Structures are given as structure tokens and as C-alpha cells.
Amino acid sequence: MAEIQIKNIAKSFGAFQALNDINLTIADQEFMVLLGASGCGKSTLLRIIAGLEVASSGEVWIGGKRIDHLSPKDRGIAMVFQNYAVFPHLTVFENIGFGLRMKKLPNDEVTRRVERVAGLMHIEMLLKRYSGELSGGQRQRVAVARALAMEPDVILMDEPLSNLDALLRMEMRAELKGVLAESKTTAIYVTHDQVEAMSMADRISVMHQGDIVQAASPIEVYRDPAAKFVASFIGNPPMNFLPAKPAGPSKWQVAGQTFDGPNTDKAVLQFAIRPEDMQPAEQGLVATAKIVEPLGAHLLVTCQIGDALFRVILDSDAVVKPGQSLTLAPQPDRVRWFDPDTTLAVA
Amino acid sequence: MNARILPYVLILPVTLFLCLFFIYPFVLVSQQAFQAADGGWSMENFQEVVEYWKFPISMKNTLLLAAIVVPVQLALALLMATMVSKMKKGRDMVLYIWTIPLGISDLAAGIIWLAIFEQSGFLNSMLHGIGVVDKPVNFLTYQNPWIVFLAIALAEIWRATAIMLVILVAGIGLIPKEYYEAADVFGASKWKQFTRITFPLLRPSLQTALVLRVILAFEIFAVVAALGGTLFPVLMGQTYSYQFDLLNSGAAAAMALIILGISIGFTLIILRILRVPKGASI
């Protein structure tokens, strides 16, 4: 059992506050992704869990044991680094077996484990090579195999796929997900790539300026963003926003149209809808098409409603020309509302 | 200009310079070494210098000095380089201070240490001052060969450790920090990190540093001349006295070639021991 509990972790570098009071519980065998733009503190949090960085305050517990005072090797963790950190002077075999040798495991046990994980990562034919003779993707496999060979309670990954080309990244993403699910290890995975996060995670923690803004399942983060930041960070293109004014109890006026909305006494709200959740209709928001981008699978149209830019994803058969007027009907159950003062979602 | 030819054109001046002022004199010296008194080819000069009674002594002294001084310097330089690399502030300052001896000629270094060890030197004044000796002692005499040896070794260590230090500091700087983080996570102690990561990844720098130092150690001359004089014959000192005291340039040339041979031999050994397999460099 390796449940991870992060309690009130804060970290500052001089005057810069990298993490503010982070609280997060990661269940045993859960695949948790820390997602955020660079500088949001996600790597710092991972490095604090790994023991490579010391928190300014707070506690880290793994499997019911407080570990933040222990050295990295005593925490029951293994890590995959962004630049792989595959030792160049050791063969692939010795790289994978490095941690096992440090634990002074007997030779045949080292061989058994190295061969098992090398098979898992499909690198058994590379065991005698040096890292200078490997491609980036192969080095990445070695780095993952080295972590798996430790049979750790927790595996930490710091943007492990970011140095690979797009095609390889997609392939490794699926493979890594499978291997980790099979290993029954708790995993924390840091990335700035939302597609990676969505496709791999059991849960995503979206981080922004040293805070966790939302920690939820990928579909929840996508459908029900807890804050405007999440709505505009996740999704490509992100959510659309329009200002809304009250028009009676639970009624809001958006660009001349009235919608059912939350029952609050706020003077202004923001209406939000994902680009794919709108259909051309008889009645709805009136928009002027500005830019039309056929993307094969669908048609991306950037239009204008009032002063605001607004993106819609239409069926690829739709015929839209720049300058054309569109009437768009939002799918009612997909409309979300945000408070512009707190930036938080309003139900 | 043609991009394929340009590099060769650019290195041509240096190559010509080296041919003119290195290869040509080297050929002349070799000729002299293998030339007999009657002008023909012979090993006479080599036979003469090797059979001289001082040759085995100077060979033994030179090798012994190198065998003691170079490992001590290597250990010190590694220790100092590791410490400097861990520093965050003031690192350059410390490096400058540690490399001061590099700016001093070997003869001057010998004289500085002579000023410490001679009969009226600092060491005697200090020992006398704290009451260990009643009257100044002459340390550097034929009765104390080990003190002479020690003084020379100390002076060499003091003078020439910095050259290794500078090379090793540069080498350590090239090792990415991630390797140490990975080593930390995978359970390597600080000592294991040094023996399993720093040391093997430092092999290219160690090669350079050791080759340079070992060659210089076989060429040791001025420090020995200042501190040991004739009490401690070394190969280079013998070469000097053949050339300038005995005016036997054939024998001096032979000695020079013997020293060159030893240097090449040790260079090859060092390169072999510290070689980096293909694909295994940073």
C-alpha cells in the first residue's frame, strides 16, 4: 500500500514563492498527473516528494510513513528524469541494474530483474550497449526500466516524454500507461502537455502559480473546470467566454440571448462553453465568422460575438465563409458559469 | 574558398611552425644521438650514458619521485576539484588562490622551498623559536637523503598540483547534475557517487591531467637543482651536465631520447588504462 499524502507543503526560493500550502492525497496505485505551465511549481513538488529538494514547510507521507526527512533512497521511490540521466559510462544492463547493485542484491537477482524489465520495455537486445549508441526513445526506455527494476512503491516521472518527437511520444504514452498499470505502482507524472495528462491520468492536478487549482479525473477537469484558469488551460482550443448580465431569477443575458443560469445575486458572470458544444441552429448566439480552418476531422471557425473572439468546432461538411453570419446554439447541459471576481466556477 | 580545403589551409601555419621548430630539431637530436664519433650510425652514445654509474641512480630517483608525487597530486587535485565544484559563492576566488603556484617558475619554486629548508631558513628559525632544536640543523645534506627527497617532493606537489586541479575542475563541470540526482534516488552514497560516477566520467580529463603531469615529472630539473644539487641526480640533470659540463652533445641527445621514450611509454599506458569505450562518453 503506497498512498501518498502531501500536507501543507510550501516552498520558497528566496523571495519567490514556488509552492503555497499544497495538500493532496494520491491513492494507492493511482496514476496522478501534475499538469501546468512552466514555472507553476509542478516539478518542484515532484522533487520535494523525491527528496531532491527540501520543502520550506509541510509533510510528505508515503504508505502511512512520514518520509520528508529521509534521504531519497530510503523513500521507496524511483524516478524517471526529463533528460533521462542514463549513465553514459555504464552499459544498458548496468544502468538498469544500478539501483539494485547499490542495494547489494545478489548477482542472479539483479540479472533476473534487469532481464524482466528490459523485456517489458522491449530493450532486451540493447543490454550490452552504451547510451551513446542509443536513440532518444531507447534511452527513455532505459530510464523507465531502471525505475521499474527497483520495484518501488512510488514511481515519479518528470516530463519523461518531452524530449521525444511527436510520433514517438504518442507511442510511448500508451505503452507507459500499460506498463505502469501492470506494475501496480503509484505514479506521479509531471507534464505541461494536456493531451498526455488527459490520456494517461487517473486524476489530474492542475497547478497554477504554486497552487493546485483542481484535482479531478480528466473528464471532470475537462467538463467541469473548477476555475477559469483550468477552462482556458485545458482543451485545444480552450473554452469560450462571454460576459453575462442578470435577466431575472436564474436567468442570464448573453450577447442578446437569455439562458438559464445559476441563482446568485452577482451583478455579472461569465458564460463559458467549449467550441465543440455548439451547433448551427435557428435560434442562438449570433456570430460573424472571421477565420475558417479546415482541420480534416472537423472545421475550426473563429468568429466574433460583440467584442469577444469565439471559437466553434463544426462538422467538416459545414460550409462557412469568412464574413458569414452564424447562429450558434450552445448545448444547454454543457454551459458553465464563472465568477469574474474569484475566477471560480459557479453552479 | 572550397569548404573542404579551408580547414586544412587554416591549420597549415601551425603545422608548418611545428614542423620547423619541433620536428626538424627532433630529427637533428635523433641524428646526434645515433651518430658515432667516426660519423657512422651506432648505439655508442646510448651505451655510454646507460653504463655510467649515475644512470641507474638518476633513473631510480626520477621514477621514485614521479611514483610518489603524481599519485599524491592526483588525490589532492581530485579532492580540491570536488570541493571547489560544490562551492556556490567565492569559487573563482578560491581557484585563483589555489593556482598561484602555477605562475611561478620551477626554479623560483625550488628557491622558495630552499629558503624554508636551508640551515638559516624558516623551518630552522621556527624549530629554534619553539625550542625543538638548540642550533640550526642542516637538513639538505647527503646524510639526510630522505629529507632531501621529501623537500623536493613537497616543492613539486606545491608547485604543480594546480595544473591537474584546473583540468579536473573543468572536467567535473562537464558532468550533468542529473546524474547525481539519479544516483541519489537510486541509492548511491556520496562515496559511491564519486567512485561510480564522477571518477569514470572524469576519465578524459584524468587522461589529460595525468599525461601532462607524468611527462613533466620525468622532466623534473630546476626544483631538484635548487634543493638537492648533486645530492639527488635525476635524468634531466644528467642530460644538462652532459651538454653543458661535459660538452658531450651526443650523450645529451641520447639521454633526451631515453626520457622521451619513457614519457611516450607512460602516456600510452595512461591512455590505455583510462580509455573510454566507444559510445560511453558524456
Side-chain angles (χ1 to χ4, degrees), chain B residues 105-111 156 159 219-229 234 236-237:
Chain B
S105 82
D106 45 359
L107 183 59
I111 292 169
E156 267 300 277
R159 185 183 73 81
E219 290 173 0
I220 187 166
F221 174 59
V223 170
V224 173
L227 286 167
V234 287
M236 213 36 136

Side-chain angles (χ1 to χ4, degrees), chain A residues 47 73 83 87-89 102 130 132, chain B residues 178 181 187 196 200-201 279-280:
Chain A
R47 292 169 60 83
K73 69 176 164 58
N83 299 325
F87 302 121
H89 60 291
M102 292 299 132
Y130 288 104
Chain B
E178 284 91 359
E181 292 188 339
R196 297 292 186 89
L201 290 179

